[in-house]
Amino acid sequence: MIEKTLVLVKPDGVERGLVGEIISRFERRGIKIIGIKMVRVNKELAMKHYTEDITKRRGEHVRKRLMDFIVNNHVIAICLEGVDAVENVRKIVGETEPRAALPGTIRGDYSHISYKYADNKKIVVPNLVHASANKEEAEKEISLWFSQEELFSYKSVHDKHVI
Ligand code: ADP
């Protein structure tokens, strides 16, 4: 099934100059960019993106650290489209904990720290990218980050040769 998903290059990826490198990983798989922009994140947007669900799964301290990390900082928001895009993109991104992320994935190639190290330092694990976890989350996140006018439909060569 053709799906859409949301990717954010988080502030560590932007500040490390890895935006092009990260985007090319999706492009070379034939996944299509249908929306892209830089956003300075305000508190309201951050709270809507990192919801109570994060508190339930990871604890309030992680949500607070995510806020400190992302609010008043810059991210690149990208809407991607492709066959089973949610699953494919999460695979390209790799495991949440950089220490566990396999080489060949974005997180496994550009980060390495552990939860333990981050917790000792009281920081969020800087893992470069956010990618929607499932189809339902993808739909919610895409409508949070993009208006209808910012999303595009076009034919790429991948429609002929890759899909
Ligand atoms: P993912 O981004 O892989 O979907 P989550 O939604 O569970 O993972 O967590 C959101 C983000 O919170 C992670 O990408 C990571 O940056 C950060 N994070 C999660 N757990 C921890 C932790 N125990 N310590 C520090 N940061 C964490």
Side-chain angles (χ1 to χ4, degrees):
M1 284 295 292
I2 304 249
E3 292 174 355
K4 295 180 183 33
T5 189
L6 181 91
V7 163
L8 302 175
V9 181
K10 299 198 271 193
D12 50 329
V14 174
E15 289 167 19
R16 288 176 60 189
L18 291 173
V19 174
E21 178 58 42
I22 289 167
I23 291 173
S24 71
R25 305 268 175 139
F26 305 117
E27 285 189 311
R28 73 186 187 191
R29 267 324 272 268
I31 294 167
K32 196 191 282 184
I33 297 170
I34 61 162
I36 186 164
K37 61 183 176 180
M38 180 173 262
V39 181
R40 186 176 162 87
V41 183
N42 62 33
K43 192 170 176 201
E44 195 193 339
L45 177 59
M47 297 280 283
K48 284 184 182 159
H49 180 78
Y50 288 123
T51 60
E52 284 293 314
D53 175 60
I54 287 280
T55 310
K56 275 187 214 134
R57 289 189 297 110
R58 303 281 190 182
E60 185 56 32
H61 66 294
V62 170
R63 190 177 185 208
K64 189 187 169 302
R65 285 176 205 167
L66 282 164
M67 292 297 144
D68 292 343
F69 183 56
I70 210 168
V71 173
N72 294 330
N73 262 322
H74 299 88
V75 304
I76 303 289
I78 310 161
C79 184
L80 295 170
E81 186 179 79
V83 176
D84 300 323
V86 172
E87 183 191 337
N88 272 311
V89 165
R90 292 276 292 193
K91 248 187 241 167
I92 295 167
V93 167
E95 293 279 323
T96 305
E97 184 184 24
R99 171 177 171 265
L102 292 176
T105 64
I106 294 169
R107 289 168 173 168
D109 284 348
Y110 292 102
S111 59
H112 73 281
I113 81 164
S114 61
Y115 286 144
K116 197 172 166 197
Y117 182 85
D119 283 345
N120 279 338
K121 287 241 168 192
K122 300 196 185 331
I123 56 167
V124 91
V125 287
N127 58 9
L128 301 155
V129 175
H130 164 83
S132 307
N134 54 57
K135 220 180 146 183
E136 196 193 16
E137 187 178 292
E139 279 164 20
K140 267 195 226 147
E141 292 181 349
I142 291 164
S143 60
L144 178 64
W145 288 88
F146 287 94
S147 67
Q148 273 307 315
E149 299 73 51
E150 290 172 324
L151 297 174
F152 301 90
S153 174
Y154 64 97
K155 285 249 168 286
S156 74
V157 292
H158 296 296
D159 293 323
K160 186 173 172 193
H161 296 294
V162 180
I163 290 177

